[in-house]
Amino acid sequence: ASFTLLCFRSPLVTPLIFALLLQAPFSQPSTITKPNFVLLLADDLGIGDVGCFGNDTIRTPNIDGLAKEGVKLTQHIAAAPLCTPSRAAFLTGRYPLRSGMDAINDYRVIFWNAGSGGLPPNETTFAKILQQQGYSTGLIGKWHQGVNCESRNDHCHHPLKHGFDYFYGMPFTLISDCQPTETPEMDRAFRRKLWLSTQMIGLITFTAVLGRLTGLISVHWRTLACLAGFSLLFFISWFSSYGFVRYWNCIMMRNHGITEQPMVTDRTTSLILRESISFIERNKHKPFLLFLSFLHSHTPLLTTEKFLGRSRHGLYGDNVEEMDWMVGQVLNAVDKEGLKETTLVYFASDHGGWLERQEGERQLGGWNGIYKGGKAMGGWEGGIRVPGIFRWPGVLPAGTVIDEPTSLMDIYPTVVHLAGGEVPQDRVMDGRDLLPLLRGAVEHSEHEFLFHYCGMHLHAVRWHQKDTGAVWKAHYMTPIFSPPGAGACYDRGFCQCFGEGVTRHEPPLLFELSQDPSEAKPLSADTEPLFDMVIRKIGRAIEEHRRTLTPVPEQLSVSNVVWKPWLQPCCGTFPFCWCDKEDDN
């Protein structure tokens, strides 16, 4: 009987054994249709600020737990070193210059809620595709991709026009101007020049009037009236915007409606956390995408009282530890609803930490570990290498570390494919589906070359030589640090992308990142036998890349970033914009 049973089973057992042997390293994601997505994006967080990426003094147990239960990417690269262009690339899966969301001038981010530039309506975000696939899509926190185009309520750049069913948060970005007790941050140097010019014009006007009254100079009263009128108009022309930054930029919205103008910063953290958990609870019975775009750890480092003084790194460390706690609360909400096994969680930062952000002896910006440079520097690793973590229990192998080049732009095709959608075929896409790499089905990233821009200016290119494992990086321009040798642009507050603020390299500076991740020892033709071959290979890649670029309207041109009163979101009758609907509730 047993022999008969064995003979009966063998035709079934043999192919079953082969199937098991050939199966990919982890369970097939196709068994889970339309997983939920929780995308957690920190603001200005340095790769060296997180425990699982080497920090042993700032406590980040919840983020570290994600890495322990999932996959950690150690060469995860932002497409830009500043908020607006990096987030545009994240949302579209494309280099920001393809959508016009990078600049040739010094205005490299959205500067006003009342500017007319922003993420173009013809760009297709991953949220829009997931919305079409039946997902509930929500954005909680920071947007910084524009609001209006031609009128105060057209909302052409608003999250709800870009695939999100629900939005709660800041249409702009957190800045020190939002905190009345902090020193103003926005356009600080330019604002000082405007004040100085106003004082000079006022002094000239006062001196002329005094001279006319004392008879020392002969000038017509009509001329003096015109001069006084010009002084007043000049003052009004800039103070009407810069004098009310807190009211114009520091606002909170729910969908299209303004809930706080200006925002009440003491409760912002609790409201963002409450909205995030509420979104999960409301949508637990259907597939959802939650994009939690943290205001942490951008200045003015809004931190609740219970976290103040807890870290060993002052206010910045307190703020990072509070963000980690928020991550834990969101993950707890996922677990509480029984969604852990069906939810892909992703954590990253939009770019590197801001080295120059200091007030006196207080360091208010992040730390980028062993990597050179920081925020606003398009080429150096410290500005673009960020923490990257994925967790999906049962699908992604826990405790995995991957050192392959990956990009924030890769989130787009990864999420879209898992949701059952298709990436747009009518445009160049720069992101690559990460799932095969994350699951261990392939050894190498699909990225052979990554192009590192500072504004519209190509500063560096990375070449992953897959047959040898080498990661070459050629710098064509690097920022000039000030003071010299300081490692950042402390005299200016930001490093420049072009002009007198950069050094051009011919031949380019070349580093082999797998051997020299700190970019401390540039190679030359004398020290590296492959130098000429590598430079030629990268040069050909640049030529091919540039052939894929097409002219598009510049969203960050001066005319698009300036404050336009007719575009200003206002919860009252402009210019009397004030409300606190959260307090009313």
Side-chain angles (χ1 to χ4, degrees), residues 79 89-90 93-95 407-413 430-432 450:
F90 175 74
R94 291 150 49 82
Y95 286 108
S407 170
L408 266 70
M409 296 183 292
D410 298 337
I411 305 311
Y412 188 111
D430 299 300
R432 301 291 183 263
L450 285 171

Side-chain angles (χ1 to χ4, degrees), residues 257-278:
I258 297 173
T259 59
E260 296 177 13
Q261 189 170 15
M263 64 193 293
V264 182
T265 54
D266 291 344
R267 63 187 180 213
T268 303
T269 296
S270 61
L271 289 175
I272 285 178
L273 182 57
R274 184 189 75 184
E275 290 282 344
S276 300
I277 294 174
S278 175

Side-chain angles (χ1 to χ4, degrees), residues 91 124-132 137 162-164 289 412:
L91 288 161
T124 303
T125 67
F126 58 73
K128 187 173 289 185
I129 296 180
L130 264 63
Q131 192 180 52
Q132 295 166 355
T137 55
H162 281 292
F164 291 100
L289 161 73
Y412 188 111

Side-chain angles (χ1 to χ4, degrees), residues 258-330:
I258 297 173
T259 59
E260 296 177 13
Q261 189 170 15
M263 64 193 293
V264 182
T265 54
D266 291 344
R267 63 187 180 213
T268 303
T269 296
S270 61
L271 289 175
I272 285 178
L273 182 57
R274 184 189 75 184
E275 290 282 344
S276 300
I277 294 174
S278 175
F279 182 85
I280 293 170
E281 293 172 345
R282 291 196 310 270
N283 294 285
K284 60 186 177 183
H285 295 304
K286 52 187 172 182
F288 66 81
L289 161 73
L290 170 61
F291 176 20
L292 173 49
S293 178
F294 288 103
L295 302 184
H296 295 60
S297 51
H298 200 292
T299 50
L301 301 174
L302 300 183
T303 309
T304 56
E305 188 173 349
K306 71 177 182 178
F307 282 92
L308 290 175
R310 285 184 43 165
S311 80
R312 292 164 56 185
H313 284 278
L315 182 59
Y316 181 83
D318 298 345
N319 193 254
V320 173
E321 291 191 4
E322 179 174 60
M323 179 185 65
D324 178 79
W325 171 78
M326 294 174 72
V327 169
Q329 295 299 300
V330 172

Side-chain angles (χ1 to χ4, degrees), residues 501-522:
V502 301
T503 299
R504 296 176 181 271
H505 301 284
E506 181 56 48
L509 294 179
L510 183 66
F511 300 92
E512 210 281 79
L513 295 182
S514 64
Q515 301 297 320
D516 180 22
S518 300
E519 298 173 289
K521 302 171 183 177

Side-chain angles (χ1 to χ4, degrees), residues 224-536:
L224 292 176
C226 290
L227 185 59
F230 172 76
S231 302
L232 181 62
L233 286 174
F234 178 76
F235 175 71
I236 292 174
S237 69
W238 70 265
F239 194 77
S240 60
S241 56
Y242 285 104
F244 299 92
V245 170
R246 184 164 165 257
Y247 285 84
W248 302 152
N249 279 347
C250 303
I251 68 176
M252 297 291 286
M253 298 183 75
R254 178 175 286 106
N255 296 326
H256 290 142
I258 297 173
T259 59
E260 296 177 13
Q261 189 170 15
M263 64 193 293
V264 182
T265 54
D266 291 344
R267 63 187 180 213
T268 303
T269 296
S270 61
L271 289 175
I272 285 178
L273 182 57
R274 184 189 75 184
E275 290 282 344
S276 300
I277 294 174
S278 175
F279 182 85
I280 293 170
E281 293 172 345
R282 291 196 310 270
N283 294 285
K284 60 186 177 183
H285 295 304
K286 52 187 172 182
F288 66 81
L289 161 73
L290 170 61
F291 176 20
L292 173 49
S293 178
F294 288 103
L295 302 184
H296 295 60
S297 51
H298 200 292
T299 50
L301 301 174
L302 300 183
T303 309
T304 56
E305 188 173 349
K306 71 177 182 178
F307 282 92
L308 290 175
R310 285 184 43 165
S311 80
R312 292 164 56 185
H313 284 278
L315 182 59
Y316 181 83
D318 298 345
N319 193 254
V320 173
E321 291 191 4
E322 179 174 60
M323 179 185 65
D324 178 79
W325 171 78
M326 294 174 72
V327 169
Q329 295 299 300
V330 172
L331 296 179
N332 288 342
V334 171
D335 294 351
K336 178 184 173 184
E337 301 300 339
L339 302 173
K340 183 174 181 178
E341 307 296 322
T342 57
T343 301
L344 175 65
V345 179
Y346 168 73
F347 177 86
S349 177
D350 56 355
H351 50 70
W354 191 357
L355 302 179
E356 297 93 343
R357 189 64 178 96
Q358 301 172 329
E359 291 291 349
E361 297 183 357
R362 291 197 305 164
Q363 176 62 35
L364 301 179
W367 182 52
N368 300 311
I370 66 171
Y371 303 108
K372 182 181 290 187
K375 176 178 178 175
M377 304 182 208
W380 294 122
E381 288 292 283
I384 54 177
R385 192 184 288 225
V386 298
I389 303 171
F390 284 88
R391 187 194 78 175
W392 189 0
V395 177
L396 303 183
T400 302
V401 178
I402 294 176
D403 192 34
E404 292 286 303
T406 58
S407 170
L408 266 70
M409 296 183 292
D410 298 337
I411 305 311
Y412 188 111
T414 304
V415 165
V416 166
H417 288 152
L418 282 171
E422 293 186 4
V423 298
Q425 302 298 310
D426 61 346
R427 63 200 67 189
V428 177
M429 301 299 295
D430 299 300
R432 301 291 183 263
D433 186 355
L434 285 179
L435 196 63
L437 180 67
L438 297 175
R439 295 182 59 246
V442 298
E443 183 180 354
H444 294 299
S445 159
E446 287 189 40
H447 290 290
E448 184 177 9
F449 296 95
L450 285 171
F451 303 90
H452 307 308
Y453 283 89
C454 187
M456 300 279 281
H457 307 273
L458 184 64
H459 273 210
V461 179
R462 175 184 318 247
W463 174 34
H464 184 206
Q465 191 178 4
K466 298 180 184 180
D467 56 343
T468 66
V471 181
W472 306 97
K473 188 172 170 195
H475 288 260
Y476 295 87
M477 284 188 274
T478 55
I480 298 173
F481 294 146
S482 57
C489 302
Y490 292 100
D491 293 349
R492 292 181 56 89
F494 271 115
C495 285
Q496 291 179 288
C497 292
F498 61 97
E500 297 180 355
V502 301
T503 299
R504 296 176 181 271
H505 301 284
E506 181 56 48
L509 294 179
L510 183 66
F511 300 92
E512 210 281 79
L513 295 182
S514 64
Q515 301 297 320
D516 180 22
S518 300
E519 298 173 289
K521 302 171 183 177
L523 304 171
S524 68
D526 296 329
T527 61
E528 174 51 63
L530 299 177
F531 182 90
D532 291 332
M533 181 276 290
V534 171
I535 296 303
R536 284 196 302 271

